[in-house]
Amino acid sequence: MKREKSRECTFLLLFSNDFHAANEVAKQLDMLIENQNDINENKEDPIIAKEADREYITARVIDIEKNIEEIDKKINEVAVGWSTERMSKVDLTILRLAYYEMKMDEEVPQKVAIDQAINLAKKYSGEESSSFVNGILAKLY
């Protein structure tokens, strides 16, 4: 699985954690992949997650959840006029993932994390969200 797709799966799982128990990450990943393949417009390009992909995504979600207080604290420090409680859940989830990739994951270059976060905001959030996400991440960079 490409990193971009595993990042998107990580984002979707993080977002769904507000609605599901933390110990259901693996089950939610299976359901997510099945659902994404059902709605995938290009049936010739299904999401195929090997065991290593599943482990990678699951480990990232668990690690982000484990560090959520620290991540939210850093976001709150730079989000002038905003707090994590006031942000849309989609934007907050994108920021959490991006911060994790920028500061806690040595495999992802910071600029890539920012670029991919902006792409997720464009795909999953409101019209102005990509600018909002970019502004917050620029302060964290």
Side-chain angles (χ1 to χ4, degrees):
M1 175 183 294
K2 292 182 179 179
R3 284 293 166 111
E4 185 175 349
K5 188 50 80 175
S6 68
R7 179 178 289 106
E8 185 174 359
C9 288
T10 301
F11 159 72
L12 292 169
L13 279 175
L14 282 172
F15 183 80
S16 73
N17 273 358
D18 283 344
F19 309 101
H20 302 283
N23 63 352
E24 294 181 352
V25 173
K27 179 180 173 185
Q28 290 303 314
L29 177 58
D30 291 339
M31 290 173 57
L32 169 72
I33 290 169
E34 182 179 323
N35 185 46
Q36 289 294 319
N37 284 335
D38 286 347
I39 62 173
N40 189 352
E41 293 176 12
N42 183 0
K43 295 292 184 185
E44 296 172 10
D45 187 26
I47 298 172
I48 299 171
K50 297 176 183 167
E51 188 59 34
D53 299 323
R54 292 173 186 274
E55 289 173 5
Y56 176 79
I57 293 166
T58 302
R60 288 172 59 106
V61 169
I62 291 169
D63 201 32
I64 292 168
E65 287 293 333
K66 184 176 73 175
N67 290 289
I68 208 105
E69 286 182 28
E70 177 186 346
I71 293 169
D72 283 0
K73 179 182 175 196
K74 296 295 184 182
I75 292 170
N76 281 321
E77 287 175 2
V78 300
V80 178
W82 288 90
S83 69
T84 52
E85 288 91 30
R86 288 189 55 223
M87 292 177 191
S88 82
K89 293 297 182 191
V90 172
D91 293 347
L92 178 57
T93 303
I94 292 168
L95 289 169
R96 286 171 171 167
L97 173 58
Y99 180 85
Y100 174 82
E101 288 187 335
M102 290 169 58
K103 302 297 184 178
M104 299 175 166
D105 184 346
E106 296 176 5
E107 294 180 18
V108 180
Q110 289 188 356
K111 289 183 181 184
V112 171
I114 293 169
D115 181 61
Q116 292 298 305
I118 293 167
N119 289 341
L120 285 171
K122 287 177 181 176
K123 182 173 182 176
Y124 288 101
S125 197
E127 232 176 81
E128 297 178 12
S129 289
S130 60
S131 296
F132 175 74
V133 166
N134 188 37
I136 299 292
L137 295 178
K139 293 176 183 179
L140 291 167
Y141 183 67

